[in-house]
Amino acid sequence: MGGTERTEAVICSRRDCRGTAVWALVWNNPKLHTPDRRKVWTACDEHRAYLENFLGLRGFLRETVPLDELEN
């Protein structure tokens, strides 16, 4: 994955969190999306495990990567 520079802070996807995201949780719902479709939630360090667990329990989580390594 190639790094890209971001000029604005990306906010964590956890409800009510305004923290700066540093992780990208790449996921898809196999019941709704084609196998190659990927969606992204972003996470701060504090909420990474919570969001990974939420997606993982449903079988949606594909990978977690540092946000600065996420391809556009």
Side-chain angles (χ1 to χ4, degrees):
M1 297 198 160
T4 58
E5 259 187 67
R6 292 178 182 2
T7 57
E8 295 180 25
V10 177
I11 303 301
C12 179
S13 295
R14 174 77 162 110
R15 183 183 305 183
D16 297 326
C17 180
R18 303 307 301 160
T20 300
V22 293
W23 297 101
L25 286 67
V26 182
W27 65 279
N28 84 342
N29 179 341
K31 292 181 181 178
L32 300 176
H33 305 121
T34 60
D36 61 325
R37 172 77 190 270
R38 293 294 185 258
K39 299 187 66 98
V40 176
W41 280 359
T42 56
C44 63
D45 281 329
E46 180 180 354
H47 294 117
R48 174 185 175 182
Y50 173 86
L51 293 170
E52 285 176 330
N53 186 54
F54 182 91
L55 293 169
L57 286 172
R58 291 156 179 80
F60 296 173
L61 186 63
R62 299 298 170 246
E63 66 178 330
T64 300
V65 298
L67 188 59
D68 62 355
E69 293 181 16
L70 183 69
E71 289 183 14
N72 286 336

